[in-house]
Amino acid sequence: MSGFRMRCAAAALAVAVGSSMAGAQSAPITLSVDLTDAPRKILHATEVMPVTAGPLTVVYPKWIPGEHGPTGPIENMTGFFITANGQPVQWERDKVDMFAYHVTVPQGVTQLEMKIDFLASSALTGFSAGGSTSENLALLSWNTLLVYPADTDASQVMFTPSIKLPDGWKFGTALDKDGGTGQTTTFKTVSLEQLIDSPVLAGRYFREVALAPEITPKHYLDMAADGPEEVELSKEHIAQFDKLVRETGALYKSRHYGSYHFLVTLSDEVAHFGLEHHQSSDDRVTANTFTDDREFVLDGLLLPHEFTHSWNGKYRRPAGLATSNYQKPMEGELLWVYEGLTEYLGDVLAARCGIWTPDQYKQRLSTIAATYDNRPGRTWRNVQDTATAAQILYDAGGGWDNWRLNVDYYDEGELIWLDVDTTIRKLTNGRKTLDDFVAKFHGLGGDTGPKVVPYTFDDVVAGLNGVVANDWATFLRSRVDSHAYQAPLGGLENGGYKLTYTDKPNSWSELVNLQRGSFDFWYSLGLHVDKPGMISDVLKGGISDKGGVGPGMQIIAVNGRAYTPDVLKAAVHNSKGSGPAVALIVENTGYYKIIKLDYHDGERYPQLERVASVPDRLDDILKPEAK
C-alpha cells in the first residue's frame, strides 16, 4: 500500500460488496447496539444490511488493529439470526475460515436483518475481548457485534450506528451524535474503519473533563468508574493532562483528528490495558489510579503512549499493518517502530508534562536497561523476531520468559530510539533532535482529518537522513537484528549516563514492589518472587538456575528461617564476600528439597550513574517544549 488513503466519514458510499451487492452500496448498514444488559455481561445488536439476491458471504472482524493479531473474539459471538421480510434465512459457516458465514439472499429481498449477541463474560485478561463491563459501566468495541460483506474495503463500507444505554448512564466517544431520544443515541454515518476505530465508554458514574481548552481541535478526558469517588482526580493531575495535550502539539506540530477523547475505565472489574485509536484511546486501569498518587505514577505512561499512537501507528502506519479490511493478515515486522518509538516518545512526554519527574523517568529507564541487559533469550531471538512473531507472543507468559522473550520490541525498542535521539544530538552538537524527525515524519501534511499514510523501513531511514546524514539503515538493522547478550545501551552512554548496580533499590523498583507485591532479586539470585514465596521466573544461566530453582516453585524457608521477602533480602545481604551461601527450602508440586545458592555479591539493584565527560543529553530530552 502506498500514498495517501482517505479514511473518514466523508468517503463515498459507493462500494462493491460481494456478488449479492453488485454495484453501489445502496444505503449504509445500520447497527443498533443495546447495552442495557451490559451489567449482566451480555450485549445485543441488530444489524440491517442492504443486499441483492444471490450468494453473499459476511465476515466477523478477525485482525483487530492495535492488537496486532487475529484476536477477534468470535468464540463469544452468539445468538446469530438472519431474517428477510420477517422470514428466517439460513447461514452456513465456512469450513476453513471460522470467521466467514455464507448466505443465499432470496429473490426480491433488498435487506437482511441480523441479530447478534456478544457474551461479555471473558476473564479479565487480554485486550478488547477481555472483561469490559461491570454493574455500572461498559466499554463497547463495535467489532464484537457486527459482520460485514467479505472482500470489501473497510474505508468504503458505510455504517450508521446507534446505542441504547441503561437508565442514568452517560457516554463518551469520538463518534459525532446525530440525534436520538431517551437513552438511545444515533451517530453520524461513518466508514466501517472509523466505526471500529471509535469505541464507546459508558457508565453510571461518568465524568468528562475538557483538556487544554484553548487548543483546537478539542480534547476530552472521559472517565467511567464503579463509584463516583474514583473519577474525582485532582486539579494537579488534570493540569498534567492539559500539559500533555500542549506538549504533543509542540512535538508533532500537527493533529490528525477532528477531536480526541481519552476513554478511561477506572475499575477492578475489567481487563487492564491500553488500546490506541485514531481519535480516542481505550485506557483501562485500576479503580484508584486517578486517586492514588503512587498508582498514578506507575500508570503514568499509559495515556501519553496511547495518545502518541494517534500519530505513530494510526496516521503513520507500517505498510504491513495498513490492511484494507479485518480479514487480511497483518505483518508486524516494523512494530519496533510502531510500538518501540511510541514507548520512547510516550515516556518522554510523561516527563515533559509532569506526570513523572525527571528522576522518576531515569529510575524507570534504569530498570528497563537492566532488564534487557539480562535477557538471555536475545542470544537466539532478536528483537526483530519478537516483532515479526507478535501475534503469537502477546499471550505468552509464565516462567522462563527471559529465555523465550515476548513483545520485547516495546522496551528494547525504546532503548533503540533513545540511541537514535542521542546520536542525532551528538552528530549535530544539539542543533537537531529526534523531535525534528517526528515533526516531519508524523506531521506530514500538517493538520488533517483521520487518514492512514503508510511507511516502510526505507521511509524511516530517509526521514532520519533528512534530519542528519548517517548510515541509519545499518545503525537500525545492527540493533534490531542483534543476537548479543547485552542490550543496546548506546543511548544511555550518548545521553551522559551509564548503567550500574548498587546495594540500594532505586525508587522506581521500590514503588513497583510496594504497589504490586513483587520482590526483585533478579540481579542477585536471578529470580522473581512474591510475598507468599511463589517464584514467577528464573534467570536462565543465573545462580538460581544453576542451583536447580525453577518457576512455579515456592520458597518455604531461607537459611533455616520461615520465608518472608525481608528474610530472603537479609540472606542475600549477608552473603556478600565471605558470608554464608543462601540455602532455600522449596516446594515443587508437593515435593520438598533444599537448594544451596553459592552467591556472594550481596544485593544488586540497577541505577543510572552520571558520566561527567559526556553532555547531559538525557536531561535535555526531558525538558518541556510547549510554550
Side-chain angles (χ1 to χ4, degrees), residues 30 50 57 69 148 262 268 359 375 444 530 590 620:
T30 63
T57 298
Y148 67 100
F262 297 95
D268 297 328
D359 185 64
R375 200 88 166 133
L444 184 66
D530 65 10
D620 286 341

Side-chain angles (χ1 to χ4, degrees), residues 539-559:
L539 177 62
K540 186 77 166 62
I543 294 294
S544 292
D545 175 29
K546 293 176 180 177
V549 179
M553 295 182 180
Q554 182 175 15
I555 302 175
I556 304 301
V558 181
N559 291 351

Side-chain angles (χ1 to χ4, degrees), residues 392-443:
I392 64 173
L393 291 176
Y394 267 100
D395 289 332
W400 302 116
D401 175 74
N402 65 100
W403 184 230
R404 179 198 54 243
L405 306 190
N406 55 60
V407 289
D408 287 33
Y409 51 81
Y410 280 85
D411 285 344
E412 188 169 334
E414 176 170 8
L415 296 175
I416 291 170
W417 285 100
L418 172 62
D419 201 354
V420 172
D421 197 353
T422 56
T423 297
I424 293 173
R425 292 167 186 263
K426 181 179 179 180
L427 290 174
T428 64
N429 291 320
R431 293 189 301 273
K432 298 286 186 179
T433 74
L434 188 67
D435 291 18
D436 295 289
F437 165 78
V438 166
K440 292 181 179 179
F441 194 79
H442 299 93

Side-chain angles (χ1 to χ4, degrees), residues 40 58 182 208 236 258 284 363 365 389 411 421 437 506 557 621:
R40 298 198 301 131
V58 296
E208 182 173 86
E236 178 185 5
R284 307 190 198 182
Q363 294 287 346
L365 183 61
D411 285 344
D421 197 353
F437 165 78
N506 70 52
I621 288 170

Side-chain angles (χ1 to χ4, degrees), residues 2-15:
S2 61
F4 289 76
R5 290 190 71 180
M6 290 303 295
R7 295 172 178 267
C8 57
L13 293 181
V15 57

Side-chain angles (χ1 to χ4, degrees), residues 134 160 310 504 554 561:
S134 74
T160 301
S310 184
K504 302 296 183 185
Q554 182 175 15
R561 297 179 61 191

